[in-house]
Amino acid sequence: MTARQSALTLSAARALLGVAADADERELRKAYREAAKRAHPDRPTGDAALFRDVLAAYRLLQDTPVVRHHFPPAVTPPPIADRVFLEIDIATALSGGAEELVIDGRRLRLKLPAGLREGDKVRVEGVCFEVRLRAQDGAMVRGDDLWLTGKVDPRVLAEGGRVDADTPLGPRPAWISTKAAARGLVRLPGQGLPARANHKPGDLFLRLEASEGRGESPARSLLKRFAAAWAA
């Protein structure tokens, strides 16, 4: 073996022939023939020194055992199961509650915390549920905030005051200013969905509508009759 050959490293020899570290004898021989043909001195573009290096690289790689890398078979991840949706009403999202479901023949009882939002995850016995909020007339959730339509005495809409608004989720006490009464909307900070996990507490927006079939108070009716009689 010449001094030039001994100075040739394995990586340089592979680069010279253009083969990988795990190339077999057939691949090695094919690469050598193509490289030797290009570098042969008899060719116009040939080079004697390069030809000798190609031969040295081929002999070096012939004498070097091929190391095969055996990689463990790729583990195919289990298929992702279809998402299981859990539809709850807005009252349950607000205050929590219990739900009973049958999944794959199993009866699951879910104890739901207060403050669940659309898209939240609930895991029970290896089943992951994604929360969906059921639409409800007069009630709506926007992010952390709760929007309710409340029926109030027409007199309160005209004058303002304290009221127990009749909403789809039950009575909601509120103090309504004359400005809020004129606007038909009152905001109650912190009375929306409660704080949970990364969610902050929301606000309650109460849309005001005049209730039907509720007349004015007896005292006001008496006052009007008295004023009418006095004017006569």
Side-chain angles (χ1 to χ4, degrees):
M1 182 179 294
T2 66
R4 187 176 186 85
Q5 179 179 344
S6 61
L8 197 63
T9 64
L10 287 174
S11 59
R14 295 188 185 106
L16 191 59
L17 297 186
V19 295
D22 59 351
D24 58 23
E25 177 62 29
R26 184 182 61 82
E27 294 171 326
L28 184 60
R29 185 167 55 252
K30 180 181 178 182
Y32 163 67
R33 288 175 177 171
E34 292 178 354
K37 185 185 298 183
R38 291 192 301 269
H40 198 282
D42 293 341
R43 295 177 65 88
T45 57
D47 181 273
L50 179 59
F51 182 78
R52 288 193 297 270
D53 286 342
V54 168
L55 179 59
Y58 178 55
R59 288 175 177 171
L60 177 60
L61 295 178
Q62 275 188 313
D63 296 336
T64 302
V66 177
V67 179
R68 302 286 182 182
H69 297 283
H70 297 283
F71 297 97
V75 178
T76 304
I80 299 175
D82 292 337
R83 289 177 297 177
V84 181
F85 294 109
L86 173 64
E87 190 176 72
I88 62 175
D89 56 30
I90 294 177
T92 302
L94 181 66
S95 304
E99 295 281 340
E100 195 168 278
L101 301 172
V102 177
I103 302 293
D104 295 333
R106 292 185 297 163
R107 186 175 296 276
L108 302 179
R109 183 171 178 79
L110 288 69
K111 187 176 182 180
L112 303 176
L116 285 173
R117 271 73 165 173
E118 181 89 10
D120 280 355
K121 305 295 192 302
V122 178
R123 185 176 294 276
V124 178
E125 296 185 23
V127 180
C128 184
F129 297 91
E130 184 172 331
V131 173
R132 288 286 182 267
L133 297 183
R134 188 180 302 125
Q136 185 175 356
D137 289 342
M140 180 173 58
V141 171
R142 291 180 178 173
D144 303 315
D145 299 329
L146 178 62
W147 289 70
L148 298 177
T149 299
K151 302 287 187 178
V152 298
D153 191 320
R155 179 172 54 86
V156 178
L157 281 179
E159 301 175 359
R162 189 187 182 283
V163 66
D164 285 331
D166 184 17
T167 78
L169 302 185
R172 294 282 163 171
W175 176 264
I176 301 175
S177 66
T178 53
K179 185 176 180 180
R183 191 171 61 241
L185 180 69
V186 61
R187 176 173 173 261
L188 305 177
Q191 295 191 33
L193 294 182
R196 179 182 178 273
N198 297 326
H199 300 294
K200 63 181 182 180
D203 298 334
L204 170 59
F205 291 85
L206 190 59
R207 291 182 293 247
L208 306 175
E209 292 184 358
S211 58
E212 299 176 358
R214 293 182 61 179
E216 56 192 2
S217 65
R220 180 167 292 271
S221 297
L222 182 61
L223 181 61
K224 282 186 176 182
R225 287 198 300 272
F226 176 78
W230 181 265

